[in-house]
Amino acid sequence: MRERGTGAAVVVLLCALVAAGCGGDRAAPAQPGTPAETPTEVPATGDGPGSAAPVADPDHAVEMPGPLKDRLYRPDMLIFDQDPLSDSMVEQIKELREVAAVEVIGLGNVAIENQALTVAAVDGGTFRRFTPAGSAQTQGVWDRVAGGELAIDPKLGKKLEDRDGNLALGSGDDAPVLHIGAYAEQPEQIDMVVNTAWVEDIGRMAFGNGLLISTDADDPSTIRKDVQRIVGDTASVQDLDIASRLGLDPTGVQTALLTGGSIADVVGTFSYGVLGGGRIAPDPAWVRANITTETVPILGNVTCHRAIFPQLKAALQDVVSRGLADEIHPGEYAGCYYPRFIAGTTTLSNHSFGLALDLNVPGNQRGTVGEMDRGVVQIFKKWGFAWGGDWGYTDPMHFEMAQLVDPR
C-alpha cells in the first residue's frame, strides 16, 4: 500500500508553474503565453470585489468550483470501460464495505506524437479530492479547468505544448485544440483533465465510462473480484498501487478508447493484455477486423490497419510518379503494425493500432534532424500523414495517419 505524503513538493511545483500563491490565491494566465512563462495575478475564485474568474474558452466553460471543502482521498482503483457505467453499477460499488469514496469521470485516449495518452473529463469540484495534495489545494488549477482550459502532467505539458501554450488532442486537423491552463499532477493513469463541457467536442468520449475508487485504509485488492463482477469482464479494473510501481496494472484487461479526430473513429475500442518485453496482446477479434497485409508500391507487402492502405498506396504511388522512389529504402523499413508500448514506458504506440510506419531507420533516429527527403515528407503530408520530424522531440523516421483523405 502507498503511504500518504505531505504533498509539499507538489505544492511547490504548482505554486511556481500555475503562478499561484501557496494556498491557491493566484492563477496562471489564460492567453497568450504558456502557464509557466507569463505569470499574471488573476484572482482564482472570482469572488472578490470587482473580480472575475478567468474564462479562456466561454464556449466550453462550466460553473466555477469554489474552494475545496471536502477531505482528500487516495485513488486506489480505476475503472475504464467503453460505455458509461450504469447508476446501478456505481451504487453497488459504493455499497461495498471497503469503499470510502468514488468519483464518476469520462475517459478517453488521444494520440499525440505517437503516444496514446489518457484524458479525463471531470467535475473539478469533486474530482480534485482524488488528485495529489498540491493539485487538489491549488484553486487556480480547477478554475482554469472550469474555464475551458487543460490541466496536464507537468512533464508532458512542457514537452508537447506549442509556442502559445496550446495542445491538440489528436494528430489531425479536426482534433480539438485546448490551451494549457495549469501544469498539475493527476492520479495514476490519467495524463490530463478537461471539464465536462468538452466531452462532445473531443469525440467518442462518454462521460461516466470511468470511475475512481478509494478504499482508504483497506487494500483495494480485496474488492477487485467484486468490482469486476459488478462492471463486467470487458471493463478494465486497475489497482493504482500496482500501476504506480509497474506503470500499469498488468493483471487484467486494459482498455484504450481513442478519441480526438476522425482517425479515432476507424480504430474503435482497443482492448489488450500485457505481455513481457514491452509487448501487448490485442483482442483477437479486433485484430481480425482491422489488421491486414497488402502489397504497396516501393515497400512490397506490409501489415497495417486496413484504413491506412488507400492513403498509404496513394502516397507511395505519388512518390514513384515524382521520381523519388529511390529516396525510400525498402531494406530500412521497420514495420507498421507492431503491438507494443513505447520503449521504456507503458504508453501505447500508434504502431499498436497499425496506423504508423517507420522509414529509412538508420539515418533518421529520434532527436535528430534526420535525412528524410523533404519532397517525400510533403507527399505524405498531402495524403493525411503526420511526420515525426515536426515534433518537439523529433522522430524523422516516423509517419502516422493523422486524418482521412479520399484518394480518388
Side-chain angles (χ1 to χ4, degrees):
M1 295 289 293
R2 295 188 301 279
E3 295 182 358
R4 294 184 190 276
T6 63
V10 181
V11 172
V12 171
L13 175 67
L14 290 186
C15 286
L17 295 184
V18 189
C22 289
D25 294 330
R26 300 293 180 192
Q31 294 279 5
T34 68
E37 293 172 342
T38 53
T40 304
E41 292 189 359
V42 179
T45 62
D47 54 4
S51 65
V55 176
D57 187 348
D59 291 336
H60 293 94
V62 298
E63 184 178 355
M64 292 292 164
L68 177 66
K69 296 180 180 179
D70 200 357
R71 53 161 287 198
L72 302 187
Y73 291 92
R74 182 183 57 215
D76 293 304
M77 186 170 284
L78 177 66
I79 300 171
F80 188 174
D81 203 355
Q82 59 181 329
D83 298 314
L85 305 173
S86 69
D87 292 342
S88 174
M89 290 177 180
V90 175
E91 286 303 316
Q92 289 179 65
I93 291 171
K94 289 170 65 175
E95 290 172 1
L96 295 175
R97 181 188 60 80
E98 297 87 348
V99 172
V102 303
E103 180 70 12
V104 177
I105 59 178
L107 287 174
N109 299 100
V110 289
I112 305 175
E113 297 192 3
N114 197 31
Q115 304 171 78
L117 302 174
T118 301
V119 57
V122 307
D123 176 345
T126 54
F127 172 81
R128 65 195 291 183
R129 301 171 302 158
F130 288 81
T131 63
S135 299
Q137 296 167 353
T138 303
Q139 184 64 35
V141 171
W142 308 106
D143 285 344
R144 294 296 175 182
V145 171
E149 295 179 276
L150 183 75
I152 188 170
D153 176 86
K155 291 181 180 179
L156 280 175
K158 292 180 179 181
K159 177 182 176 182
L160 298 175
E161 68 186 3
D162 66 16
R163 66 182 61 188
D164 295 318
N166 297 320
L167 180 63
L169 300 189
S171 55
D173 292 341
D174 54 352
V177 178
L178 283 76
H179 185 260
I180 297 175
Y183 301 130
E185 293 185 2
Q186 302 300 327
E188 199 73 39
Q189 301 300 299
I190 295 175
D191 298 305
M192 60 192 85
V193 300
V194 298
N195 69 40
T196 55
W198 276 104
V199 171
E200 184 175 347
D201 287 349
I202 288 177
R204 298 195 76 245
M205 178 182 280
F207 186 77
N209 70 329
L211 189 72
L212 277 168
I213 302 171
S214 175
T215 56
D216 247 354
D218 290 308
D219 185 342
S221 66
T222 61
I223 65 168
R224 182 173 194 136
K225 289 184 178 179
D226 288 330
V227 171
Q228 193 76 69
R229 172 183 54 79
I230 292 169
V231 299
D233 293 338
T234 61
S236 171
V237 177
Q238 292 200 59
D239 184 324
L240 296 183
D241 184 39
I242 297 174
S244 70
R245 291 183 277 111
L246 302 181
L248 82 172
D249 179 355
T251 59
V253 173
Q254 305 295 317
T255 298
L257 180 61
L258 206 59
T259 64
S262 58
I263 298 305
D265 293 331
V266 307
V267 173
T269 301
F270 185 86
S271 298
Y272 62 97
V274 179
L275 304 174
R279 297 173 299 124
I280 65 170
D283 175 13
W286 183 91
V287 175
R288 287 193 300 271
N290 293 280
I291 302 300
T292 187
T293 300
E294 296 189 20
T295 302
V296 302
I298 305 175
L299 299 176
N301 289 339
V302 299
T303 300
C304 299
H305 193 288
R306 58 181 173 77
I308 202 176
F309 282 108
Q311 291 170 224
L312 178 58
K313 291 177 179 178
L316 291 171
Q317 186 57 55
D318 207 348
V319 170
V320 172
S321 299
R322 298 194 191 186
L324 296 173
D326 290 344
E327 298 296 338
I328 295 178
H329 312 144
E332 297 175 355
Y333 166 67
C336 180
Y337 174 61
Y338 186 13
R340 61 174 173 82
F341 296 119
I342 295 172
T345 76
T346 53
T347 300
L348 287 180
S349 160
N350 250 7
H351 287 281
S352 297
F353 309 121
L355 296 174
L357 63 157
D358 292 336
L359 302 176
N360 298 4
V361 171
N364 291 281
Q365 297 297 302
R366 294 217 66 176
T368 71
V369 174
E371 303 170 354
M372 195 66 66
D373 182 88
R374 294 308 188 264
V376 170
V377 170
Q378 291 307 311
I379 290 170
F380 269 84
K381 288 183 177 181
K382 167 189 170 183
W383 291 106
F385 290 86
W387 179 48
D390 291 330
W391 299 344
Y393 182 52
T394 59
D395 191 4
M397 72 177 73
H398 184 91
F399 293 87
E400 62 182 43
M401 187 177 176
Q403 62 190 74
L404 296 175
V405 175
D406 188 345
R408 290 177 297 177

